[in-house]
C-alpha cells in the first residue's frame, strides 16, 4: 500500500515494526522514569527538612538543562542503542516527575489519615507506600501518558539524528532520515 523504499523493502511493514520499537522505548522509559520519580518525590515530601532541600536542589539542576540536549549528551556518552535511549529518557523524566509528585505529596502528608498512621506508630515505608502513593495514582497515570508521547517523539528525533536506534533497525525517525537523504 505504501510501496517500497530505495532498497526495495516494504514501507508498511517497516512502519509497523517501527511502531513496535517506538512503543517499547516509550512505555519502558515512561514507566521507569515515573516510577523512580514518584519514589523520589514521595520521599522528598515525607521526610522534608534538609532531605527535601538537597533533593529539590538536585532536581532543579536537572530541570535547568534542556531535555533534548541532555539526552544527546547521555547518548554521546553511552553510544547508540535502544536500551541507551531508554536510559537517557528515564534520566530526563525523573526530575519533572519528582517535582510534580512532591507537590501532591506535600498536601497528602498533612491529611488526617497520614497523621493517624503516624500516631499509631506506622513505619516510614508503610506510610509512604500504603497511604501516600495510592493517593497519587491519578497524577501518576497522567504523567505516564504525557511522558509516553514525549518519549516516542524523542526516540524518533534521536533516530532521525542518527544517535538513536541502530541504522539497520526500522524506526520512525530512521526511516525519515533515510528518505530525506535523497532530497537534502
Amino acid at each position: 500500500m505504501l510501496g517500497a523504499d530505495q532498497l526495495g523493502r516494504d514501507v508498511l511493514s517497516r512502519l509497523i515494526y517501527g511502531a513496535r520499537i517506538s512503543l517499547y522505548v516509550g512505555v519502558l522509559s515512561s514507566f521507569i522514569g515515573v516510577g523512580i520519580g514518584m519514589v523520589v518525590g514521595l520521599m522528598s515530601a515525607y521526610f522534608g527538612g534538609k532531605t527535601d532541600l538537597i533533593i529539590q536542589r538536585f532536581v532543579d539542576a536537572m530541570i535547568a538543562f534542556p531535555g533534548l540536549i541532555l539526552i544527546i549528551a547521555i547518548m554521546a556518552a553511552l553510544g547508540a542503542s535502544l536500551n541507551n535511549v531508554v536510559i537517557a529518557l528515564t534520566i530526563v523524566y525523573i526530575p519533572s516527575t519528582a517535582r510534580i509528585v512532591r507537590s501532591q505529596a506535600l498536601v497528602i502528608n498533612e491529611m488526617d489519615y497520614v497523621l493517624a498512621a503516624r500516631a499509631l506508630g506506622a513505619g516510614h515505608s508503610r506510610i509512604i507506600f500504603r497511604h501516600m502513593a495510592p493517593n497519587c495514582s491519578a497524577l501518576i497515570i497522567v504523567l505516564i501518558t504525557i511522558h509516553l508521547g514525549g518519549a516516542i517523539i524523542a526516540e524518533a528525533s534521536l533516530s532521525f539524528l542518527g544517535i538513536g536506534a541502530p541504522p539497520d533497525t526500522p524506526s520512525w525517525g530512521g526511516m525519515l532520515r533515510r528518505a530525506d537523504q535523497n532530497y537534502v
Side-chain angles (χ1 to χ4, degrees), residues 38-39 42 101 104-105 108 113-114 125-140:
M38 179 187 74
V39 171
L42 286 171
V101 169
Q104 180 70 26
I108 293 171
Y113 53 87
V114 174
S125 61
R126 180 172 177 86
I127 293 173
I128 291 172
F129 294 111
R130 183 88 166 150
H131 297 289
M132 293 175 71
N135 290 302
C136 292
S137 62
L139 182 66
I140 296 303

Short mmCIF file of all heavy atoms in Angstrom, two decimals, residues 38-39 42 101 104-105 108 113-114 125-140:
data_model
loop_
_atom_site.label_atom_id
_atom_site.label_comp_id
_atom_site.label_asym_id
_atom_site.label_seq_id
_atom_site.Cartn_x
_atom_site.Cartn_y
_atom_site.Cartn_z
N MET A 38 8.46 9.10 41.16
CA MET A 38 7.43 9.05 42.18
C MET A 38 8.05 8.75 43.55
O MET A 38 7.73 9.41 44.54
CB MET A 38 6.39 7.98 41.85
CG MET A 38 5.29 7.86 42.89
SD MET A 38 4.18 6.48 42.61
CE MET A 38 5.20 5.11 43.08
N VAL A 39 8.94 7.77 43.60
CA VAL A 39 9.58 7.43 44.87
C VAL A 39 10.40 8.61 45.40
O VAL A 39 10.34 8.94 46.59
CB VAL A 39 10.45 6.16 44.70
CG1 VAL A 39 11.29 5.90 45.94
CG2 VAL A 39 9.57 4.96 44.40
N LEU A 42 7.94 11.35 46.63
CA LEU A 42 7.28 10.97 47.88
C LEU A 42 8.24 11.06 49.06
O LEU A 42 7.87 11.56 50.13
CB LEU A 42 6.70 9.56 47.77
CG LEU A 42 5.45 9.39 46.92
CD1 LEU A 42 5.13 7.93 46.72
CD2 LEU A 42 4.27 10.11 47.55
N VAL A 101 5.11 15.11 41.73
CA VAL A 101 4.63 14.20 42.78
C VAL A 101 4.88 14.81 44.15
O VAL A 101 4.05 14.67 45.06
CB VAL A 101 5.28 12.81 42.65
CG1 VAL A 101 5.02 11.95 43.86
CG2 VAL A 101 4.78 12.11 41.40
N GLN A 104 2.07 17.16 45.14
CA GLN A 104 0.87 16.44 45.57
C GLN A 104 1.09 15.76 46.92
O GLN A 104 0.20 15.74 47.77
CB GLN A 104 0.49 15.40 44.51
CG GLN A 104 -0.74 14.59 44.85
CD GLN A 104 -2.01 15.40 44.80
OE1 GLN A 104 -2.09 16.40 44.09
NE2 GLN A 104 -3.00 14.99 45.55
N ALA A 105 2.28 15.21 47.12
CA ALA A 105 2.57 14.50 48.36
C ALA A 105 2.65 15.44 49.56
O ALA A 105 2.36 15.03 50.69
CB ALA A 105 3.87 13.72 48.22
N ILE A 108 -0.88 15.60 50.69
CA ILE A 108 -1.30 14.33 51.28
C ILE A 108 -0.63 14.11 52.63
O ILE A 108 -1.23 13.54 53.54
CB ILE A 108 -0.99 13.17 50.31
CG1 ILE A 108 -1.86 13.30 49.06
CG2 ILE A 108 -1.20 11.82 50.96
CD1 ILE A 108 -1.47 12.35 47.95
N TYR A 113 -5.50 10.99 57.72
CA TYR A 113 -5.18 9.57 57.76
C TYR A 113 -3.67 9.32 57.82
O TYR A 113 -3.24 8.33 58.40
CB TYR A 113 -5.81 8.82 56.57
CG TYR A 113 -5.49 9.38 55.22
CD1 TYR A 113 -4.35 9.00 54.53
CD2 TYR A 113 -6.35 10.28 54.60
CE1 TYR A 113 -4.06 9.50 53.29
CE2 TYR A 113 -6.07 10.79 53.36
CZ TYR A 113 -4.92 10.39 52.70
OH TYR A 113 -4.65 10.90 51.46
N VAL A 114 -2.87 10.23 57.27
CA VAL A 114 -1.41 10.09 57.39
C VAL A 114 -0.99 10.44 58.81
O VAL A 114 -0.15 9.74 59.40
CB VAL A 114 -0.69 10.99 56.36
CG1 VAL A 114 0.81 10.98 56.58
CG2 VAL A 114 -1.02 10.55 54.95
N SER A 125 8.12 3.53 55.54
CA SER A 125 7.78 2.90 54.26
C SER A 125 6.30 2.56 54.17
O SER A 125 5.69 2.66 53.11
CB SER A 125 8.63 1.65 54.02
OG SER A 125 8.40 0.70 55.03
N ARG A 126 5.70 2.17 55.28
CA ARG A 126 4.26 1.87 55.26
C ARG A 126 3.44 3.14 54.98
O ARG A 126 2.50 3.11 54.20
CB ARG A 126 3.82 1.25 56.59
CG ARG A 126 2.34 0.93 56.61
CD ARG A 126 1.97 0.15 57.86
NE ARG A 126 0.56 -0.10 57.92
CZ ARG A 126 -0.06 -1.13 57.36
NH1 ARG A 126 0.65 -2.01 56.67
NH2 ARG A 126 -1.35 -1.30 57.47
N ILE A 127 3.80 4.23 55.61
CA ILE A 127 3.07 5.48 55.38
C ILE A 127 3.26 5.95 53.94
O ILE A 127 2.30 6.34 53.27
CB ILE A 127 3.53 6.56 56.38
CG1 ILE A 127 3.11 6.18 57.81
CG2 ILE A 127 2.94 7.92 56.00
CD1 ILE A 127 3.65 7.09 58.88
N ILE A 128 4.50 5.87 53.43
CA ILE A 128 4.78 6.35 52.08
C ILE A 128 4.06 5.50 51.03
O ILE A 128 3.38 6.02 50.15
CB ILE A 128 6.29 6.40 51.81
CG1 ILE A 128 6.94 7.50 52.65
CG2 ILE A 128 6.59 6.61 50.33
CD1 ILE A 128 8.46 7.50 52.62
N PHE A 129 4.22 4.18 51.12
CA PHE A 129 3.71 3.31 50.05
C PHE A 129 2.30 2.81 50.26
O PHE A 129 1.64 2.37 49.32
CB PHE A 129 4.66 2.13 49.84
CG PHE A 129 6.00 2.56 49.32
CD1 PHE A 129 7.12 2.47 50.12
CD2 PHE A 129 6.13 3.08 48.05
CE1 PHE A 129 8.35 2.90 49.66
CE2 PHE A 129 7.35 3.50 47.58
CZ PHE A 129 8.47 3.41 48.38
N ARG A 130 1.79 2.88 51.48
CA ARG A 130 0.44 2.39 51.75
C ARG A 130 -0.59 3.53 51.79
O ARG A 130 -1.74 3.33 51.45
CB ARG A 130 0.45 1.64 53.08
CG ARG A 130 -0.83 1.03 53.47
CD ARG A 130 -0.93 -0.34 52.89
NE ARG A 130 -2.04 -1.01 53.56
CZ ARG A 130 -2.76 -1.92 52.99
NH1 ARG A 130 -2.48 -2.31 51.77
NH2 ARG A 130 -3.75 -2.47 53.62
N HIS A 131 -0.16 4.71 52.23
CA HIS A 131 -1.11 5.81 52.40
C HIS A 131 -0.90 6.93 51.39
O HIS A 131 -1.87 7.51 50.90
CB HIS A 131 -1.02 6.37 53.82
CG HIS A 131 -1.39 5.37 54.87
ND1 HIS A 131 -2.67 4.94 55.07
CD2 HIS A 131 -0.62 4.70 55.77
CE1 HIS A 131 -2.70 4.05 56.05
NE2 HIS A 131 -1.46 3.89 56.49
N MET A 132 0.35 7.27 51.10
CA MET A 132 0.60 8.41 50.23
C MET A 132 0.62 8.04 48.74
O MET A 132 0.03 8.73 47.92
CB MET A 132 1.91 9.08 50.62
CG MET A 132 1.86 9.74 51.99
SD MET A 132 3.43 10.41 52.53
CE MET A 132 3.60 11.80 51.45
N ALA A 133 1.31 6.97 48.40
CA ALA A 133 1.46 6.59 46.98
C ALA A 133 0.12 6.29 46.29
O ALA A 133 -0.09 6.75 45.17
CB ALA A 133 2.41 5.41 46.85
N PRO A 134 -0.79 5.54 46.91
CA PRO A 134 -2.06 5.28 46.21
C PRO A 134 -2.87 6.55 45.93
O PRO A 134 -3.62 6.61 44.96
CB PRO A 134 -2.83 4.36 47.15
CG PRO A 134 -1.79 3.71 47.97
CD PRO A 134 -0.71 4.73 48.13
N ASN A 135 -2.70 7.56 46.76
CA ASN A 135 -3.44 8.80 46.56
C ASN A 135 -2.80 9.69 45.50
O ASN A 135 -3.35 10.73 45.15
CB ASN A 135 -3.58 9.55 47.88
CG ASN A 135 -4.52 8.82 48.80
OD1 ASN A 135 -5.67 8.58 48.46
ND2 ASN A 135 -4.02 8.41 49.95
N CYS A 136 -1.66 9.30 44.98
CA CYS A 136 -1.02 9.99 43.86
C CYS A 136 -1.24 9.25 42.55
O CYS A 136 -0.68 9.63 41.52
CB CYS A 136 0.48 10.13 44.11
SG CYS A 136 0.91 11.24 45.45
N SER A 137 -2.04 8.18 42.57
CA SER A 137 -2.17 7.32 41.38
C SER A 137 -2.77 8.03 40.18
O SER A 137 -2.35 7.80 39.04
CB SER A 137 -2.96 6.06 41.72
OG SER A 137 -4.27 6.41 42.11
N ALA A 138 -3.75 8.92 40.38
CA ALA A 138 -4.34 9.64 39.24
C ALA A 138 -3.29 10.52 38.58
O ALA A 138 -3.21 10.59 37.35
CB ALA A 138 -5.53 10.46 39.70
N LEU A 139 -2.49 11.17 39.39
CA LEU A 139 -1.41 12.01 38.88
C LEU A 139 -0.38 11.18 38.13
O LEU A 139 0.13 11.58 37.08
CB LEU A 139 -0.76 12.75 40.04
CG LEU A 139 0.35 13.72 39.73
CD1 LEU A 139 -0.20 14.89 38.93
CD2 LEU A 139 0.98 14.19 41.01
N ILE A 140 -0.08 10.00 38.64
CA ILE A 140 0.90 9.11 38.01
C ILE A 140 0.42 8.65 36.64
O ILE A 140 1.19 8.61 35.68
CB ILE A 140 1.18 7.91 38.93
CG1 ILE A 140 1.84 8.37 40.23
CG2 ILE A 140 2.04 6.87 38.25
CD1 ILE A 140 3.11 9.14 40.05
#
